[in-house]
Amino acid sequence: MAVPKKVKALSKADVEAIFARFHDIEPEPKGELDYVNAFTLLVAVVLSAQATDAGVNKATKRLFELAPSPQAMVALGVEQITELVKTIGLYRGKAKNVFALSQLLIERHGGEVPDDREALEALPGVGRKTANVVLNIFFKQPTIAVDTHLFRVSNRTGLAPAATPLAVEQQLLKVIPPQYLLHAHHWLILHGRYVCKARKPECWRCAIREWCRFEPKTPAPKGS
């Protein structure tokens, strides 16, 4: 991730106002990856690195029909997993990781996905961001998974200006009011994906523009 242009951090009141607005618009935001249990969510997130959620969902539909558990995934084998996910970027390495993490879940955790970050990060292909997504979505823990969208929004707006994903995560955990922490991850990622876009943020339709530090705000397209 590129080092962002430094902006002044927002006040506590502005941060609270932003998340109150997000909550008013969508009280229960949802992720866009398809899954049926903790295991399939974990696999989907591992496969989603440098890939779109839509592309992952298309590939995992058949994969999860055949292998909704670590035991079934191991039974498929690396070659069949690879064939099923070949439409996803970096699919060969990801297929190997999915197979290997399935094996370790059986060996170390009785086939269950642990609800502990350290245990999750010990699995092949699982970093801090992936672990945080699983902990947040499935286990309802108030974690923040900093992807490129969330990193961009946090820096542009002034919510949590910082030079690294970990620093952004730690700052967000400090400044977001406790009542909004559980859903903050989804609100920010979806905002970055659909409104605060990388090349040209759509400021004219941004719900939080009155508090955002980004300047100059982009105008609405002519004729809109």
Side-chain angles (χ1 to χ4, degrees):
M1 297 180 188
V3 176
K5 180 181 177 181
K6 189 72 172 178
V7 300
K8 185 179 178 182
L10 294 172
S11 68
K12 181 179 179 180
D14 286 349
V15 173
E16 183 152 7
I18 283 174
F19 285 98
R21 177 67 56 82
F22 281 143
H23 179 270
D24 288 344
I25 294 169
E26 180 55 76
E28 297 282 338
K30 304 295 182 185
E32 297 181 319
L33 287 172
D34 293 336
Y35 65 97
V36 295
N37 53 30
F39 172 69
T40 54
L41 173 62
L42 174 62
V43 170
V45 180
V46 168
L47 293 174
S48 71
Q50 299 181 48
T52 65
D53 287 358
V56 172
N57 290 340
K58 185 175 180 180
T60 56
K61 186 176 187 300
R62 181 59 176 160
L63 178 66
F64 293 161
E65 288 173 355
L66 294 172
S69 68
Q71 294 83 353
M73 194 68 73
V74 169
L76 273 186
V78 174
E79 287 187 14
Q80 194 166 357
I81 297 170
T82 303
E83 180 64 24
L84 288 165
V85 302
K86 66 181 181 182
T87 56
I88 301 173
L90 308 174
Y91 69 96
R92 293 187 188 280
K94 290 177 180 179
K96 291 177 181 177
N97 283 335
V98 167
F99 180 80
L101 73 82
S102 299
Q103 287 182 311
L104 285 183
L105 286 175
I106 295 168
E107 293 171 8
R108 297 179 182 176
H109 305 287
E112 299 295 323
V113 175
D115 60 354
D116 172 77
R117 179 186 282 109
E118 185 176 352
L120 285 168
E121 288 187 36
L123 299 171
V126 179
R128 185 178 183 88
K129 182 179 72 174
T130 295
N132 278 341
V133 172
V134 174
L135 292 172
N136 180 263
I137 294 177
F138 195 84
F139 294 107
K140 306 303 180 186
Q141 295 185 21
T143 57
I144 303 286
V146 180
D147 72 348
T148 56
H149 299 298
L150 203 147
F151 185 77
R152 178 174 67 252
V153 171
S154 298
N155 275 285
R156 267 186 184 166
T157 60
L159 273 170
T164 67
L166 180 58
V168 166
E169 177 189 334
Q170 292 172 335
Q171 185 65 15
L172 286 171
L173 290 172
K174 289 179 183 178
V175 302
I176 296 172
Q179 68 269 32
Y180 299 124
L181 262 177
L182 180 61
H183 295 309
H185 160 251
H186 279 124
W187 282 322
L188 293 174
I189 285 177
L190 294 172
H191 188 68
R193 185 174 291 168
Y194 296 112
V195 180
C196 196
K197 299 176 182 179
R199 293 187 179 181
K200 189 176 182 181
E202 298 181 1
C203 301
W204 67 91
R205 67 181 192 90
C206 175
I208 62 168
R209 62 173 293 161
E210 64 195 273
W211 303 287
C212 174
R213 299 279 192 199
F214 180 75
E215 295 293 346
K217 299 287 194 292
T218 52
K222 292 180 180 180
S224 63

